[in-house]
Amino acid sequence: MQATAEMTQQWHDICEESDLVKNSGVCALIDEQQVAIFTLKNKDGITVYAVSNWDPIGKANVMYRGIVGSLGGEPVVASPLYKEHYSLVTGRCLENDEVSLSAYDVRIDDGRVLVAL
Amino acid sequence: MTASTTSKRIVIVGNGMVGHHFVEQLVNSNANCEITVLSGEKRLAYDRVHLSSWFSGSRAEDLAMTDEATYDSWGVKYYTDAMVTEINRDNKSVSTAQGTFHYDMLVLATGSYPFVPPIPGNDQEHCLVYRTIEDLEAIEASAAVSKTGVVVGGGLLGLEAANALKQAGLETHVVEFAPQLMAVQLDEAGGDLLRNKIEDLGVVVHTQKATQVIEAGEEARYRMAFADGSALETDMILFSAGIRPSDQLGRLAGLDVGERGGIIINNQCQTSDPNVYAIGECALWESRIYGLVAPGYSMARTAVSHITGGDLEFAGADMSTKLKLMGVDVGSIGDAHGRTAGSLSYTYHNQPEGIYKRLIVDGAQKKVIGAVLVGDTSDYDTLLQYSLNDIDIPEHAESLILPSAGEKPALGADALPDTATVCSCHNVSKGDITAAIDGGCCSVGEVKSCTKAATGCGGCAALLKNVVDGELEKRGVEVSKAICEHFNYTRQELYHMVKVEEIHSFDELLEKHGEGLGCDICKPAVGSVLASVWNDYILTQNNLPLQDTNDTYLGNMQKDGTYSIVPRVPGGEITPEGLILIGEIAKEYGLYTKITGGQRIDLFGARVEQLPDIWEKLVAGGFETGHAYAKSLRTVKSCVGSTWCRYGVQDSVGQAIDLENRYKGLRAPHKIKFAVSGCTRECAEAQGKDIGVIATENGWNLYVCGNGGMKPRHADLFATDLDSETLVKYIDRVLMFYVKTADRLQRTSVWMENLEGGLDYLKSVVIDDSLGICDELEAQMQLVVDAYQCEWKTTIESPEARKRFRQFVNSKAIDSNIQFVDERGQIRPATEAEKIAGASRIPVELV
Ligand code: SRM
Ligand SMILES: Cc1cc2nc3c(=O)[nH]c(=O)nc-3n(C[C@H](O)[C@H](O)[C@H](O)COP(=O)(O)OP(=O)(O)OC[C@H]3O[C@@H](n4cnc5c(N)ncnc54)[C@H](O)[C@@H]3O)c2cc1C
Ligand code: SF4
Ligand code: FES
């Protein structure tokens, strides 16, 4: 399992860590795919998340412009168009089982932001 | 083959809504049986009731009620495209093209088929019916090559079909044999009013027309010749002239069928062969076919109960309906025609407003037995409960249908007996709901998923909410006033904390008084409070993540992710140079331009990365942000006033400009709108605004808390003949008091409605200073006014702030999903279909 996951994933170097916005989002274009990258400050420091930028209900590339926060302990982003909440960890939509975002691995390495697709 | 000998083999013929409900109920009963479903259609069950949503974009997936995976997980065997051709009752089997299936119990749920009148020429290519997804595809294809369409049949389904044709852009006609529309549900007067309303919407209605032949047309594809010698030309014809039960299998197998069709069943839903059941629209119970889904569901539950040893009986069903046909509200309850012997009726007919209501009561004038409602169905729920639950009617029965003539005896959820059916689709009674709440459900959502109430046609949603709220209240459950899960406080309490403890950031407030990380409810609310109290630049590093996207990007996000741009035009006064600059910018960036309802100009279609450049040009030309995106002052509308108008008594434009410049940028719980009219003729519509000012010979009259939006409210006259200075003083105080005390997203109109003591109280606070806070209110307002800055100016001057206005951090590419097409000489967002067809143009990068 582990091995196949790693084989199909490729890390992409996106931008400087300082290009990210605290408690908010930016968007990256990776191989024609739009990925929303968020930072969220919690008690243990700052966590970075990456999910797909396409709003499956609003049908527009806007997720990175949503408000982030938490619902019942789960880090979420709210669609800026119609306000559905999506988990930043799994991409699951909290209000509607039929849609979801893709969640991607993301990490900071030596001041650079890397996303795995 | 390996099934244990005790498990019953149950075969269900037909997988329509009722057949599926039967399967679901049987699976839920956990009975030991082997279930086989034979679906004559090429897919499993879908929602026929909402078929018309196809024309507003639903696809087969959206309508599906189940899928293969679900049936697999239930252990149900299923076959699609499996038309049963024969029942062999002697060896208990049925046959399809795929093979033979043996049963212990057989359930016929074959539904019905549309009746097509035997008119010569009715079988041509563009003569269609409306029952299955395949029918919809055929209608869509035919509509695409047609200009006109005719629906034959003016019943409920016919009118729904007509709406579909209208939505598809066809010139639409309805041809009805009877003298009125919806003859089953409505009386003559109701049918006539419905007809008028539908004709107003552009659908042509022809009643008392019997079609004799469909022949080739001259101007259109076909020509329908009527018995009275007249004719109608059309490109397509949709038959919706009633349904006929699909009872052929039963007939062939020698089961008893009714004279006019339908497989006869008893109270247990068994046919004349006790091992064969029939449910849904193919079944005939006490000489009746029920053409609605709720009675079918109830038959399905009965059959399951009988098969599994229960004792449910089918006892008939209520056929009352409430629906919106092409936007017209129509309701029909019980004996709508007043055919019950001795019945009496009350009628309310308001011709100017197009409302017709008829109430039918029994001879003793004790019970409601029927009703017809057209144009206003607000009384439907109450009347239905009276009729279903045999509740005694009040002394003046007419008050039940008269518009707020005196006290209307409200029938609260409390008055309903526990046996009252709240949701007829899923047979949920008030008692079931109370039980669900006792079992731990604490919200409408939870009751819904637990009982399934309001998840069918949805018609009972309002009543369900009433019952749930009432029951929760009775149990002392306090409806929490907490703004969200992160702050256990109201907006007003948060405002106080920010002010008193001098809190300047969300993080600080969260740390001291909240929990979790915040959300899209509390963040913008706190952002707004911080701005009302301190009026700092809203996009500082701390404030930025709190703002709704509209505030973050200082523009309103449109459906495709682009933004609109609204420069402030105080009082609506604009110079030719200003107009030219806006025009030139719109032209350069290819933006759609429109005059707004607020006396200014909106430019649409700007991509996020274009916003700073566009605003740089606007600001250089002397424009400021119009705050069209913000919960703050929008516009101060003006009329031309005494400078030009022959009736004007004061300079309304000058006053409007002064007021707009004073209050621009004031962040509030919701948006605020003003208007100033130059005389009592009120051309600026000031009495529909949060703050309205009307000139008098002696000064200004001040109106407060009006609204024109979702729930219009006439503003209240607050003070008369004020000089400009007093006018401003009063407005300062009223607005600041509102900012301090209103709930989040509460307009002044709703705030006033909820203000204890109402207008008199507000007057005492503002005019008599009864709370002794007027100095503070004025000082607070002055602070906000002095701290004003044009957010766009601040933003374009900061390279750091400008950085945020980009689609991608790692690329200069533009969002390829943003595509436009031309319409009336300007752009508009391309539809999904246009994008797929490649009809749209992707904006070219501008230099
Ligand atoms: C552009 C405009 C329509 C137009 O083409 O004329 C408009 C457009 C919008 N209105 Fe409006 N309203 C516009 C005049 C009005 C008016 C008429 C007026 O102001 O005289 C009203 C009724 C008056 C009133 O507010 O009492 C009006 C009542 C609403 C409401 C209902 C408010 C209510 O309390 O019931 C909303 C929804 C809301 O605010 O929650 C709304 C919301 C909206 C939003 C913001 C919806 C959204 O979130 O996308 C629209 C976005 C505008 C944009 O992208 O720039 N709009 N809207 C008008 C802009 C005026 C301006 O120059 O600022
Ligand atoms: C446009 C439209 C709008 C409607 N609106 C409403 C509404 O608002 N409210 C309401 O209550 N009702 C409404 N109805 C009626 C409602 O859809 C029906 O009452 C309900 O679908 C009946 O369910 P059923 O399972 O009995 O029949 P059906 O849904 O007709 O299902 C029967 C199934 O059996 C299959 N079948 C037939 N013969 C065989 C065979 N020999 N072998 C195998 N399979 C076979 C058929 O192909 C079909 O799939 C509407 C109907 C339509 C068409
Ligand atoms: S409100 Fe009065 S002053 Fe203003 S335009 Fe109308 S008539 Fe003229
Ligand atoms: S009555 Fe149809 S969902 Fe409740």
Side-chain angles (χ1 to χ4, degrees), chain B residues 583-608:
Chain B
E584 274 171 352
I585 291 173
K587 217 162 146 184
E588 179 179 350
Y589 289 87
L591 305 174
Y592 168 80
T593 57
K594 178 178 186 302
I595 306 292
T596 72
Q599 293 191 335
R600 46 195 190 168
I601 301 171
D602 207 339
L603 311 177
F604 293 87
R607 299 193 311 275
V608 65

mmCIF file of all heavy atoms in Angstrom, chain B residues 583-608:
data_model
loop_
_atom_site.group_PDB
_atom_site.id
_atom_site.type_symbol
_atom_site.label_atom_id
_atom_site.label_comp_id
_atom_site.label_asym_id
_atom_site.label_seq_id
_atom_site.Cartn_x
_atom_site.Cartn_y
_atom_site.Cartn_z
ATOM 1 N N GLY B 583 -16.490 54.410 -18.220
ATOM 2 C CA GLY B 583 -16.718 53.784 -19.523
ATOM 3 C C GLY B 583 -15.412 53.305 -20.140
ATOM 4 O O GLY B 583 -15.337 52.199 -20.677
ATOM 5 N N GLU B 584 -14.397 54.137 -20.055
ATOM 6 C CA GLU B 584 -13.124 53.745 -20.676
ATOM 7 C C GLU B 584 -12.509 52.535 -19.983
ATOM 8 O O GLU B 584 -11.973 51.639 -20.635
ATOM 9 C CB GLU B 584 -12.155 54.933 -20.655
ATOM 10 C CG GLU B 584 -12.385 55.814 -21.878
ATOM 11 C CD GLU B 584 -11.622 57.129 -21.841
ATOM 12 O OE1 GLU B 584 -11.023 57.439 -20.788
ATOM 13 O OE2 GLU B 584 -11.665 57.823 -22.860
ATOM 14 N N ILE B 585 -12.613 52.523 -18.658
ATOM 15 C CA ILE B 585 -12.063 51.380 -17.933
ATOM 16 C C ILE B 585 -12.834 50.103 -18.292
ATOM 17 O O ILE B 585 -12.252 49.051 -18.549
ATOM 18 C CB ILE B 585 -12.092 51.645 -16.415
ATOM 19 C CG1 ILE B 585 -11.076 52.747 -16.084
ATOM 20 C CG2 ILE B 585 -11.782 50.375 -15.632
ATOM 21 C CD1 ILE B 585 -11.115 53.221 -14.657
ATOM 22 N N ALA B 586 -14.152 50.228 -18.343
ATOM 23 C CA ALA B 586 -14.974 49.060 -18.679
ATOM 24 C C ALA B 586 -14.583 48.531 -20.057
ATOM 25 O O ALA B 586 -14.483 47.320 -20.285
ATOM 26 C CB ALA B 586 -16.445 49.427 -18.649
ATOM 27 N N LYS B 587 -14.351 49.457 -20.975
ATOM 28 C CA LYS B 587 -14.004 49.068 -22.337
ATOM 29 C C LYS B 587 -12.637 48.382 -22.363
ATOM 30 O O LYS B 587 -12.464 47.335 -22.973
ATOM 31 C CB LYS B 587 -13.953 50.335 -23.189
ATOM 32 C CG LYS B 587 -14.487 50.137 -24.583
ATOM 33 C CD LYS B 587 -14.808 51.484 -25.160
ATOM 34 C CE LYS B 587 -14.553 51.497 -26.648
ATOM 35 N NZ LYS B 587 -14.773 52.847 -27.187
ATOM 36 N N GLU B 588 -11.677 48.980 -21.658
ATOM 37 C CA GLU B 588 -10.329 48.434 -21.671
ATOM 38 C C GLU B 588 -10.293 47.000 -21.140
ATOM 39 O O GLU B 588 -9.625 46.136 -21.684
ATOM 40 C CB GLU B 588 -9.416 49.330 -20.829
ATOM 41 C CG GLU B 588 -7.982 48.808 -20.774
ATOM 42 C CD GLU B 588 -7.071 49.724 -19.960
ATOM 43 O OE1 GLU B 588 -7.497 50.847 -19.604
ATOM 44 O OE2 GLU B 588 -5.934 49.305 -19.677
ATOM 45 N N TYR B 589 -11.065 46.755 -20.076
ATOM 46 C CA TYR B 589 -11.012 45.421 -19.465
ATOM 47 C C TYR B 589 -12.151 44.514 -19.930
ATOM 48 O O TYR B 589 -12.317 43.409 -19.444
ATOM 49 C CB TYR B 589 -11.022 45.547 -17.936
ATOM 50 C CG TYR B 589 -9.710 46.096 -17.415
ATOM 51 C CD1 TYR B 589 -9.500 47.462 -17.329
ATOM 52 C CD2 TYR B 589 -8.679 45.233 -17.055
ATOM 53 C CE1 TYR B 589 -8.289 47.979 -16.886
ATOM 54 C CE2 TYR B 589 -7.466 45.735 -16.608
ATOM 55 C CZ TYR B 589 -7.269 47.103 -16.525
ATOM 56 O OH TYR B 589 -6.079 47.597 -16.093
ATOM 57 N N GLY B 590 -12.956 45.011 -20.847
ATOM 58 C CA GLY B 590 -14.044 44.190 -21.378
ATOM 59 C C GLY B 590 -15.073 43.819 -20.327
ATOM 60 O O GLY B 590 -15.585 42.696 -20.298
ATOM 61 N N LEU B 591 -15.417 44.742 -19.433
ATOM 62 C CA LEU B 591 -16.344 44.423 -18.341
ATOM 63 C C LEU B 591 -17.785 44.699 -18.742
ATOM 64 O O LEU B 591 -18.052 45.571 -19.575
ATOM 65 C CB LEU B 591 -15.983 45.263 -17.111
ATOM 66 C CG LEU B 591 -14.537 45.130 -16.631
ATOM 67 C CD1 LEU B 591 -14.257 46.115 -15.510
ATOM 68 C CD2 LEU B 591 -14.267 43.699 -16.172
ATOM 69 N N TYR B 592 -18.693 43.956 -18.134
ATOM 70 C CA TYR B 592 -20.118 44.171 -18.335
ATOM 71 C C TYR B 592 -20.542 45.362 -17.474
ATOM 72 O O TYR B 592 -20.165 45.428 -16.294
ATOM 73 C CB TYR B 592 -20.881 42.920 -17.901
ATOM 74 C CG TYR B 592 -22.384 43.096 -17.796
ATOM 75 C CD1 TYR B 592 -23.195 43.063 -18.930
ATOM 76 C CD2 TYR B 592 -22.989 43.305 -16.559
ATOM 77 C CE1 TYR B 592 -24.558 43.226 -18.833
ATOM 78 C CE2 TYR B 592 -24.356 43.467 -16.458
ATOM 79 C CZ TYR B 592 -25.136 43.433 -17.595
ATOM 80 O OH TYR B 592 -26.496 43.596 -17.487
ATOM 81 N N THR B 593 -21.282 46.303 -18.019
ATOM 82 C CA THR B 593 -21.680 47.461 -17.213
ATOM 83 C C THR B 593 -23.189 47.519 -17.052
ATOM 84 O O THR B 593 -23.941 47.219 -17.965
ATOM 85 C CB THR B 593 -21.242 48.784 -17.851
ATOM 86 O OG1 THR B 593 -21.803 48.849 -19.153
ATOM 87 C CG2 THR B 593 -19.747 48.895 -17.943
ATOM 88 N N LYS B 594 -23.595 47.929 -15.863
ATOM 89 C CA LYS B 594 -25.022 48.017 -15.576
ATOM 90 C C LYS B 594 -25.265 49.148 -14.580
ATOM 91 O O LYS B 594 -24.486 49.335 -13.649
ATOM 92 C CB LYS B 594 -25.507 46.702 -14.977
ATOM 93 C CG LYS B 594 -26.968 46.737 -14.597
ATOM 94 C CD LYS B 594 -27.474 45.427 -14.050
ATOM 95 C CE LYS B 594 -28.976 45.509 -13.827
ATOM 96 N NZ LYS B 594 -29.362 46.576 -12.914
ATOM 97 N N ILE B 595 -26.351 49.888 -14.775
ATOM 98 C CA ILE B 595 -26.786 50.876 -13.786
ATOM 99 C C ILE B 595 -27.459 50.096 -12.670
ATOM 100 O O ILE B 595 -28.349 49.288 -12.921
ATOM 101 C CB ILE B 595 -27.804 51.855 -14.383
ATOM 102 C CG1 ILE B 595 -27.279 52.506 -15.658
ATOM 103 C CG2 ILE B 595 -28.219 52.897 -13.340
ATOM 104 C CD1 ILE B 595 -26.127 53.444 -15.472
ATOM 105 N N THR B 596 -27.053 50.303 -11.418
ATOM 106 C CA THR B 596 -27.631 49.535 -10.315
ATOM 107 C C THR B 596 -28.928 50.176 -9.835
ATOM 108 O O THR B 596 -29.272 51.280 -10.244
ATOM 109 C CB THR B 596 -26.694 49.482 -9.101
ATOM 110 O OG1 THR B 596 -26.675 50.778 -8.488
ATOM 111 C CG2 THR B 596 -25.301 49.080 -9.493
ATOM 112 N N GLY B 597 -29.589 49.463 -8.936
ATOM 113 C CA GLY B 597 -30.789 50.011 -8.296
ATOM 114 C C GLY B 597 -30.424 51.075 -7.269
ATOM 115 O O GLY B 597 -31.299 51.662 -6.656
ATOM 116 N N GLY B 598 -29.128 51.312 -7.053
ATOM 117 C CA GLY B 598 -28.710 52.270 -6.028
ATOM 118 C C GLY B 598 -28.087 53.518 -6.618
ATOM 119 O O GLY B 598 -27.268 54.162 -5.971
ATOM 120 N N GLN B 599 -28.451 53.836 -7.839
ATOM 121 C CA GLN B 599 -27.965 55.052 -8.501
ATOM 122 C C GLN B 599 -26.459 55.076 -8.688
ATOM 123 O O GLN B 599 -25.798 56.076 -8.407
ATOM 124 C CB GLN B 599 -28.396 56.296 -7.713
ATOM 125 C CG GLN B 599 -29.888 56.497 -7.733
ATOM 126 C CD GLN B 599 -30.285 57.852 -7.179
ATOM 127 O OE1 GLN B 599 -29.581 58.454 -6.391
ATOM 128 N NE2 GLN B 599 -31.444 58.326 -7.587
ATOM 129 N N ARG B 600 -25.890 53.966 -9.080
ATOM 130 C CA ARG B 600 -24.496 54.024 -9.472
ATOM 131 C C ARG B 600 -24.224 52.946 -10.501
ATOM 132 O O ARG B 600 -25.158 52.310 -10.992
ATOM 133 C CB ARG B 600 -23.581 53.922 -8.258
ATOM 134 C CG ARG B 600 -23.979 52.825 -7.295
ATOM 135 C CD ARG B 600 -23.281 53.023 -5.989
ATOM 136 N NE ARG B 600 -23.441 51.878 -5.133
ATOM 137 C CZ ARG B 600 -22.742 51.697 -4.022
ATOM 138 N NH1 ARG B 600 -21.851 52.598 -3.655
ATOM 139 N NH2 ARG B 600 -22.941 50.640 -3.268
ATOM 140 N N ILE B 601 -22.966 52.731 -10.817
ATOM 141 C CA ILE B 601 -22.652 51.845 -11.939
ATOM 142 C C ILE B 601 -21.855 50.651 -11.440
ATOM 143 O O ILE B 601 -20.920 50.812 -10.662
ATOM 144 C CB ILE B 601 -21.850 52.606 -13.008
ATOM 145 C CG1 ILE B 601 -22.680 53.801 -13.497
ATOM 146 C CG2 ILE B 601 -21.483 51.699 -14.172
ATOM 147 C CD1 ILE B 601 -21.924 54.754 -14.382
ATOM 148 N N ASP B 602 -22.258 49.475 -11.874
ATOM 149 C CA ASP B 602 -21.585 48.250 -11.480
ATOM 150 C C ASP B 602 -20.867 47.687 -12.709
ATOM 151 O O ASP B 602 -21.437 47.637 -13.799
ATOM 152 C CB ASP B 602 -22.630 47.239 -10.972
ATOM 153 C CG ASP B 602 -22.040 46.253 -9.983
ATOM 154 O OD1 ASP B 602 -20.812 46.082 -9.981
ATOM 155 O OD2 ASP B 602 -22.824 45.632 -9.226
ATOM 156 N N LEU B 603 -19.614 47.305 -12.521
ATOM 157 C CA LEU B 603 -18.835 46.690 -13.601
ATOM 158 C C LEU B 603 -18.592 45.242 -13.218
ATOM 159 O O LEU B 603 -18.052 44.970 -12.153
ATOM 160 C CB LEU B 603 -17.486 47.393 -13.747
ATOM 161 C CG LEU B 603 -17.517 48.920 -13.822
ATOM 162 C CD1 LEU B 603 -16.096 49.472 -13.881
ATOM 163 C CD2 LEU B 603 -18.289 49.370 -15.043
ATOM 164 N N PHE B 604 -18.993 44.325 -14.072
ATOM 165 C CA PHE B 604 -18.902 42.911 -13.723
ATOM 166 C C PHE B 604 -17.879 42.172 -14.585
ATOM 167 O O PHE B 604 -17.636 42.544 -15.721
ATOM 168 C CB PHE B 604 -20.250 42.220 -13.923
ATOM 169 C CG PHE B 604 -21.325 42.669 -12.985
ATOM 170 C CD1 PHE B 604 -22.109 43.779 -13.286
ATOM 171 C CD2 PHE B 604 -21.565 41.991 -11.796
ATOM 172 C CE1 PHE B 604 -23.106 44.184 -12.424
ATOM 173 C CE2 PHE B 604 -22.565 42.406 -10.935
ATOM 174 C CZ PHE B 604 -23.335 43.507 -11.245
ATOM 175 N N GLY B 605 -17.354 41.079 -14.008
ATOM 176 C CA GLY B 605 -16.522 40.168 -14.803
ATOM 177 C C GLY B 605 -15.030 40.393 -14.643
ATOM 178 O O GLY B 605 -14.256 39.919 -15.466
ATOM 179 N N ALA B 606 -14.614 41.107 -13.579
ATOM 180 C CA ALA B 606 -13.180 41.327 -13.388
ATOM 181 C C ALA B 606 -12.570 40.140 -12.659
ATOM 182 O O ALA B 606 -13.109 39.691 -11.645
ATOM 183 C CB ALA B 606 -12.951 42.604 -12.596
ATOM 184 N N ARG B 607 -11.444 39.627 -13.175
ATOM 185 C CA ARG B 607 -10.767 38.550 -12.485
ATOM 186 C C ARG B 607 -9.983 39.111 -11.316
ATOM 187 O O ARG B 607 -9.570 40.262 -11.316
ATOM 188 C CB ARG B 607 -9.843 37.805 -13.447
ATOM 189 C CG ARG B 607 -10.593 37.160 -14.614
ATOM 190 C CD ARG B 607 -9.693 36.188 -15.359
ATOM 191 N NE ARG B 607 -8.410 36.766 -15.679
ATOM 192 C CZ ARG B 607 -8.179 37.502 -16.757
ATOM 193 N NH1 ARG B 607 -9.146 37.740 -17.617
ATOM 194 N NH2 ARG B 607 -6.978 37.994 -16.974
ATOM 195 N N VAL B 608 -9.756 38.264 -10.316
ATOM 196 C CA VAL B 608 -9.167 38.735 -9.071
ATOM 197 C C VAL B 608 -7.865 39.500 -9.306
ATOM 198 O O VAL B 608 -7.622 40.540 -8.699
ATOM 199 C CB VAL B 608 -9.000 37.546 -8.081
ATOM 200 C CG1 VAL B 608 -8.000 36.521 -8.589
ATOM 201 C CG2 VAL B 608 -8.638 38.006 -6.705
#
